Amino acid sequence: MAEHPHAALVRRGYEAFVSGDMDAMAGLLAADVTHHVPGGNPLSGDHKGRDAVLDLYRRLGEETGGTMRAELQRVLVDGRGHAVSVHRWTATRKGRALDSTAVLVFRILGDRITDIDECVEDMDVEDAFWS
């Protein structure tokens, strides 16, 4: 059985993100996409628009000196425009290490991601890491 198109779209997004291919990532995002980052750290908030979301991803790489890794563990879909990914991500920054599980909730319209809600395992740990 073939993978659902929304699951395949999310997998392509992870592949682009992990490889740093922001041109490929841009092609997966709607022009008005929003990525919601939880917490109370400098990266928290609503990053609205494709350019702002791509800038967030660029900042993640810069802030971690390229050490950030996202290991996709699974993708779940509902067939109605929603997908959920579970990933483990690791990074180092300013002498601190992070090893965490996170979930992204995607809203998809057609073949583009329109919204990304991020949920983290431990918000206090994430805030300390990014602050």
Side-chain angles (χ1 to χ4, degrees):
M1 180 175 254
E3 183 173 46
H4 190 279
H6 293 161
L9 175 67
V10 169
R11 286 186 196 285
R12 286 194 310 275
Y14 272 86
E15 290 167 7
F17 180 83
V18 168
S19 69
D21 187 348
M22 292 302 110
D23 289 335
M25 178 64 74
L28 305 174
L29 302 173
D32 61 348
V33 64
T34 300
H35 187 135
H36 309 275
V37 178
N41 65 71
L43 297 177
S44 297
D46 296 336
H47 301 267
K48 298 179 182 182
R50 184 184 296 128
D51 290 342
V53 171
L54 293 174
D55 187 56
L56 168 65
Y57 299 161
R58 179 193 57 76
R59 287 178 61 198
L60 292 172
E62 282 182 2
E63 290 285 331
T64 63
T67 64
M68 187 178 64
R69 301 289 178 261
E71 178 187 326
L72 181 61
Q73 295 176 338
R74 54 179 52 124
V75 179
L76 309 166
V77 298
D78 70 356
R80 299 179 297 113
H82 301 95
V84 177
S85 66
V86 180
H87 66 267
R88 175 179 176 228
W89 81 284
T90 58
T92 58
R93 178 178 182 270
K94 296 183 178 179
R96 290 180 245 153
L98 181 67
D99 186 341
S100 182
T101 300
V103 172
L104 298 178
V105 180
F106 298 89
R107 286 171 195 79
I108 300 167
L109 184 59
D111 62 352
R112 297 285 186 268
I113 298 166
T114 62
D115 198 76
I116 306 167
D117 280 308
E118 186 174 329
C119 301
V120 297
E121 185 173 29
D122 187 327
M123 197 150 338
D124 292 337
V125 168
E126 297 274 340
D127 282 345
F129 181 79
W130 292 112
S131 295

